[in-house]
Amino acid sequence: MHTIISLGIETSCDETSVAFVTDQKEILSHTVFSQKDHEAFGGVVPELAARSHLQNLEQIFKETQKKTGLSVQDVSVIAATCGPGLIGGVIVGSSFAKGLAYYHNKPFIPVNHLEAHALTVRLTEKVEFPYLLLLVSGGHCQLVCARDLGQYSVLGSTKDDAVGETFDKVAKLLGLGYPGGPAIEKAACQGEAQRFSFPRPFYGQAHCSFSFSGLKTAVRYEMQKNVDPSAQDICDCAASFQKAVSETLVDRVQQAMQQVPSVKKLVVAGGVGANQQIRTQLQKLCVEKSWAFYAPPNHLCTDNGAMVAWTGLEYFIKGKGSDLNFAPRPRWPLSELG
Ligand code: KG4
Ligand code: ZN
């Protein structure tokens, strides 16, 4: 049987990533280059990110392709993230992909970055629609009912900061560096999570919205009380913060489960989904509620080209045609797909 191969390109934030994925769910070759340019700033600088994608994408593409032993002619479909994201980077990646598609006469599929996160588990496991999705990344925090390809009902999202953004800001406050999520997780392992009592925003409230700015401020106030924190103080604070976030997420998911009780499947996606404590607590909730729980492997939770290639492949198989005229979108909510 003829294997369908998809090429995916991701450049919407600070990862330049290229992947070749088959309809047999095989990742033939995959490169994720995480830009280091932003560490000194404690967050992603859009202009630097776009320049870095521009500088590195061609080389990353060539190296990734070389590892497959295939030519672009062997590829059936070319996909790139076209939004939402930092528009400079999105334009770099999508224009590069469109150029390849035009030159090699291949279909080009514009991919929504959020949908790519949402579909990642379908690349790594067999998960049928519908499912409840907790999408937790640097730019987004939402609970979504994924009904079909292109069909998503957003049950709730954050009123202020995204959860990954909160990890990054709190890490900066604690002097733990960027990206904040993995740094906080590491520090939290050495910390006492009962030491500080931080708020769990919206806890117990019967809706699916999130809010994290108050939690971030609570950490700031706590740190201001201590002018010379010890390494142990920092670790205790990281552990207490991580516990507050994971209990908040579990509570919000529980509310969402009540809104779609027949779905019985929970999927976590996005960079924060790589957090072990959060995964464990969500898994525990699912066992209690008799729901199935799915999470992509850690390296596919954070931004990557494989999820983009896979999303392009799903659309291609469903019969979607080439769309070289698609204009990249800095904002592109899941509700505006389909
Ligand atoms: O999905 P992603 O790579 O990019 C966006 O689409 O935003 O998510 C990046 C975010 C960052 O805020 C990062 O701090 C967070 O995911 N993150 C984590 C962990 N790994 C990455 N947060 C908590 N724990 C982690 N282990
Ligand atoms: Zn992402």
Side-chain angles (χ1 to χ4, degrees), residues 280-312:
T280 307
Q281 294 309 315
L282 291 171
Q283 167 110 55
K284 215 170 116 199
L285 172 70
C286 285
V287 170
E288 272 167 30
K289 303 283 177 190
S290 304
W291 279 47
F293 177 66
Y294 303 93
N298 282 359
H299 71 287
L300 297 180
C301 281
T302 43
D303 289 349
N304 65 85
M307 68 182 189
V308 178
W310 175 254
T311 303

Side-chain angles (χ1 to χ4, degrees), residues 12-15 113 117 136-140 163-165 167-168 178-182 185 242 270-276 278 301-303:
S12 68
C13 194
D14 56 344
E15 265 82 31
H113 181 84
H117 276 302
V136 276
S137 69
H140 299 272
V163 60
E165 184 183 358
F167 267 98
D168 295 334
Y178 182 86
E185 182 165 25
Q242 186 177 261
V272 180
N275 185 285
Q276 197 49 52
I278 292 171
C301 281
T302 43
D303 289 349

